[in-house]
Amino acid sequence: MQDKKRVLENIDKIHTTEMGIDRIKKNLKLNLHEKKEIVNYCKKKITDVKSNIYKKGKNYYCELEDIRITINSHSYTIITAHQVKEVYKKKNTKTNLF
């Protein structure tokens, strides 16, 4: 819960790069074109009350429904996002591969 609180406290710092935009659009099959639209899409997932946010190594991971968003914990840069069939549990118990 502490990880989610920290990410939400810094929600205004969350951003991505042009390469990040390309990866997110491709991996999630988004039909959004503007960088701001894609970042807002990710922020909406992150701020959802049902999202599971945890830190592993240098990244935060946000999981909601069948989506996992990877965020650098120092810069708050969205690195990528993927669709997954199942999610990794916070206790590092792997239940699925990408």
Side-chain angles (χ1 to χ4, degrees):
M1 193 64 173
Q2 186 68 16
D3 293 333
K4 184 169 186 170
K5 181 180 177 187
R6 182 159 296 150
V7 172
L8 295 179
E9 287 172 349
N10 291 285
I11 195 74
D12 291 336
K13 294 180 183 178
I14 292 179
H15 64 283
T16 194
T17 62
E18 291 303 319
M19 286 178 58
I21 292 292
D22 293 340
R23 284 190 297 269
I24 295 164
K25 283 174 59 174
K26 177 184 166 203
N27 293 342
L28 299 183
K29 298 173 179 72
L30 295 177
N31 193 20
L32 303 173
H33 302 287
E34 297 294 322
K35 183 176 182 177
K36 185 175 180 178
E37 291 177 306
I38 295 167
V39 171
N40 286 338
Y41 172 87
C42 291
K43 284 183 177 183
K44 185 174 179 182
K45 298 292 183 187
I46 293 164
T47 58
D48 189 292
V49 68
K50 296 177 187 171
S51 69
N52 176 31
I53 299 175
Y54 59 94
K55 186 175 180 182
K56 185 174 180 184
K58 65 179 183 173
N59 295 324
Y60 287 112
Y61 296 89
C62 172
E63 298 173 344
L64 180 67
E65 299 157 353
D66 64 340
I67 294 173
R68 179 182 302 122
I69 301 169
T70 306
I71 306 162
N72 179 279
S73 64
H74 299 290
S75 65
Y76 292 95
T77 303
I78 301 170
I79 299 166
T80 192
H82 293 279
Q83 287 187 323
V84 292
K85 293 179 184 170
E86 296 179 33
V87 295
Y88 286 82
K89 301 297 180 189
K90 187 173 181 177
K91 294 181 181 178
N92 300 328
T93 304
K94 189 168 41 169
T95 59
N96 178 48
L97 298 175
F98 288 86

